[in-house]
Amino acid sequence: MKVEIDVFSGYRIYPSKGRLFVRGDSKIFRFGASKNQSLFLQRKNPRKIAWTQVYRRMHKKGVTEEVAKKRSRKTVKHQRGIVGADLAAIAAKRNQTSQVRTQQRLAAITKAKAEKKEKESKKPKPQRTQASATTARNISKQQAKGGRGGR
Amino acid sequence: MIGLKGTLNVIDNSGALLVECVNVLKNKVNNGWGSVGDEIVCVVKRARPVPASAQLSAAALKVRRGDVRRAVIVRTKKPVRRPDGRWVRFDDNAAILLNNKREMLGTRIGGVVSADLRMKGWGKIVSLAPKVI
């Protein structure tokens, strides 16, 4: 015994109830009552007839039990190592305390200053000319920009 | 409920397109009406044009307009009751042509056929049909 579903209203059709209609294109339609059949043949849209299952599903009537369908999809983030720095190196860098970082910065600064002093002591003359040339260029650019801005 | 003057589509390849019922056999049992699985005598009202160039049709016989033949009803618009209580109704009335010995004239059937035929003893037609409902 198979309980069919009415094609119009979505109700269940028990055996010996309703009618089976075979259309010209060999499509089968099952009706549980003459009411459903009549509306179907009048070509009414079940989505607009308020008592049909189709309508109720569309307008979410009486569906409070099915709210559990809301499952939020959370993407899990995986930490990956890159070619230059593997996972351990990244973790090590991230977990450095601020003290360690400031120490590293100071060390770097002192190192840079020392290197600069060495350079200056080695080559005094060519640096000065280079500096004047760059400043001259700067001024000319500024002049040009100022001129355009005025007009 | 096919009776006198009732028209039916022909769904085999015998060449006829539309037949008109002239007489329902086993009349007294059915109160004058023919249903699925009943034999009727019919007149061919419309037939497919026969190619005038001789008898090329080796497969199927060609019937012409005005031929009086027998046929069996395979689909009715009037609902037919199944033993499980269901009522089945098709969108049109259809028949398959036969000869006097209850054999099919055509060789192929195009379309749906009612399963009630099997119960009335037309197993050969049911086996040839592409779809039986």
Side-chain angles (χ1 to χ4, degrees):
Chain A
M1 184 193 92
K2 190 184 171 196
V3 183
E4 310 281 357
I5 320 173
D6 182 295
V7 83
F8 190 83
S9 61
Y11 290 178
R12 314 245 283 277
I13 304 178
Y14 281 87
S16 91
K17 298 276 184 188
R19 284 200 192 179
L20 200 161
F21 171 49
V22 184
R23 207 165 55 175
D25 57 1
S26 307
K27 218 171 172 191
I28 297 179
F29 298 95
R30 296 180 191 272
F31 305 117
S34 58
K35 177 174 167 184
N36 309 321
Q37 181 186 271
S38 172
L39 286 168
F40 178 86
L41 292 175
Q42 284 175 47
R43 300 162 98 232
K44 299 285 184 195
N45 191 353
R47 285 170 186 276
K48 295 191 176 179
I49 308 290
W51 49 270
T52 56
Q53 285 279 32
V54 192
Y55 176 97
R56 300 203 95 226
R57 234 174 272 150
M58 213 174 69
H59 288 69
K60 293 181 190 139
K61 302 273 187 192
V63 197
T64 44
E65 298 132 24
E66 293 181 33
V67 185
K69 274 192 176 181
K70 278 194 175 181
R71 277 184 220 160
S72 55
R73 292 181 195 171
K74 286 184 184 173
T75 51
V76 184
K77 269 195 172 181
H78 290 286
Q79 287 293 320
R80 278 186 219 135
I82 317 171
V83 180
D86 59 330
L87 234 181
I90 293 174
K93 273 202 170 178
R94 207 199 305 157
N95 296 339
Q96 280 177 345
T97 50
S98 52
Q99 272 188 358
V100 178
R101 280 196 202 125
T102 47
Q103 273 185 14
Q104 281 185 344
R105 268 183 222 146
L106 284 170
I109 290 168
T110 47
K111 216 184 175 186
K113 280 188 179 172
E115 280 177 12
K116 237 188 174 181
K117 277 186 181 173
E118 277 185 35
K119 274 192 181 175
E120 281 176 12
S121 61
K122 280 180 186 175
K123 300 174 185 177
K125 285 183 187 178
Q127 273 191 352
R128 279 179 202 166
T129 49
Q130 279 182 7
S132 60
T134 48
T135 48
R137 281 177 211 155
N138 284 342
I139 290 166
S140 62
K141 268 193 184 174
Q142 278 176 6
Q143 277 182 344
K145 280 185 184 174
R148 283 175 199 168
R151 290 176 190 175
Chain B
M1 265 170 79
I2 309 293
L4 184 60
K5 281 291 191 183
T7 49
L8 302 119
N9 297 327
V10 179
I11 56 170
D12 60 2
N13 61 346
S14 61
L17 287 173
L18 201 72
V19 290
E20 191 188 60
C21 174
V22 164
N23 188 14
V24 177
L25 299 174
K26 294 190 187 151
N27 211 336
K28 289 172 189 172
V29 186
N30 302 327
N31 196 27
W33 305 113
S35 184
V36 177
D38 288 337
E39 251 190 278
I40 60 167
V41 184
C42 59
V43 176
V44 178
K45 282 290 182 183
R46 222 190 308 160
R48 243 170 266 151
V50 185
S53 57
Q55 295 83 356
L56 294 168
S57 55
L61 291 164
K62 295 293 183 186
V63 286
R64 279 181 222 162
R65 223 186 83 109
D67 269 7
V68 177
R69 301 271 178 193
R70 294 214 173 171
V72 61
I73 303 171
V74 298
R75 291 203 295 254
T76 49
K77 245 180 168 172
K78 179 90 180 116
V80 176
R81 192 170 182 280
R82 292 278 166 83
D84 63 359
R86 231 191 314 165
W87 291 88
V88 184
R89 158 176 109 88
F90 293 87
D91 212 8
D92 65 343
N93 304 311
I96 291 177
L97 293 189
L98 311 165
N99 66 9
N100 289 11
K101 293 176 196 168
R102 279 186 139 215
E103 289 164 21
M104 265 181 68
L105 279 181
T107 50
R108 251 178 253 137
I109 302 177
V112 194
V113 145
S114 178
D116 293 296
L117 285 174
R118 203 181 281 131
M119 288 185 274
K120 301 240 173 157
W122 299 97
K124 202 160 187 206
I125 294 178
V126 171
S127 62
L128 273 172
K131 201 166 183 199
V132 183
I133 292 183

